[in-house]
Amino acid sequence: MVKYLSLPAANLSPPAHIQSPSVTESVVLRRRIFLLCVLSVIPALLIVYATMRMLGKPIKRLEQAIVEVGEGKLDMVSEDLEVREFRELMHRINEMKVDIKNLLVKVQTEEEQRQKTEREKLPPDLSC
């Protein structure tokens, strides 16, 4: 049979010189903590909102420029975006539009040249 060593019961109450807060003090403390949390969240939300507005407009303009390329509208778009990275991206989109426009002109010229060459190869009585 095993004998267990018995220890005196632990005293978990606070020392006499530390007073436990009353119920009303506890409620006031909880309200203050809640208010502090709410007041901390408001500036964070304002920062998120401002960032979204600052980035949202340039992203919409970039999206519109890309949609225009897809629709075949190859006119230049102004690059007066505030964020440098967006401005560079818009510049690249404009360069792409110029390249596409040049390729279309080149393809059209080559096609016209091909048709002209084919007409020249036809016998004189079949040419248009």
Side-chain angles (χ1 to χ4, degrees), residues 60-79 81 88-106:
K60 282 288 187 191
R61 288 184 62 192
L62 289 169
E63 179 185 13
Q64 184 61 35
I66 292 169
V67 167
E68 288 176 1
V69 169
E71 293 173 348
K73 298 176 185 173
L74 301 176
D75 298 326
M76 299 294 281
V77 177
S78 66
E79 299 175 13
L81 298 171
E88 290 174 7
L89 192 55
M90 185 64 82
H91 178 73
R92 299 286 182 228
I93 290 172
N94 284 332
E95 285 180 346
M96 180 180 65
K97 286 180 175 185
V98 169
D99 291 345
I100 291 171
K101 204 181 264 190
N102 290 339
L103 284 172
L104 289 173
V105 168
K106 181 179 176 184

Side-chain angles (χ1 to χ4, degrees), residues 3-125:
K3 290 188 176 183
Y4 293 101
L5 180 64
S6 65
L7 296 173
N11 185 6
L12 298 177
S13 61
H17 66 280
I18 299 178
Q19 296 178 352
S20 62
S22 68
V23 174
T24 55
E25 289 175 344
S26 177
V27 170
V28 169
L29 182 61
R30 285 183 185 176
R31 285 183 182 165
R32 285 184 181 170
I33 291 172
F34 176 76
L35 183 62
L36 181 64
C37 290
V38 169
L39 292 177
S40 298
V41 169
I42 291 173
L45 291 175
L46 290 174
I47 290 170
V48 168
Y49 177 74
T51 303
M52 293 294 293
R53 286 194 44 94
M54 184 180 79
L55 297 178
K57 287 181 183 180
I59 289 173
K60 282 288 187 191
R61 288 184 62 192
L62 289 169
E63 179 185 13
Q64 184 61 35
I66 292 169
V67 167
E68 288 176 1
V69 169
E71 293 173 348
K73 298 176 185 173
L74 301 176
D75 298 326
M76 299 294 281
V77 177
S78 66
E79 299 175 13
D80 62 342
L81 298 171
E82 298 163 4
V83 181
R84 180 179 53 89
E85 289 81 4
F86 290 138
R87 198 170 40 249
E88 290 174 7
L89 192 55
M90 185 64 82
H91 178 73
R92 299 286 182 228
I93 290 172
N94 284 332
E95 285 180 346
M96 180 180 65
K97 286 180 175 185
V98 169
D99 291 345
I100 291 171
K101 204 181 264 190
N102 290 339
L103 284 172
L104 289 173
V105 168
K106 181 179 176 184
V107 166
Q108 184 178 6
T109 305
E110 288 175 354
E111 179 64 22
E112 289 171 356
Q113 185 64 35
R114 185 187 63 77
Q115 288 177 359
K116 181 180 175 186
T117 304
E118 284 181 3
R119 273 188 255 131
E120 291 173 352
K121 289 181 182 178
L122 288 175
D125 58 336

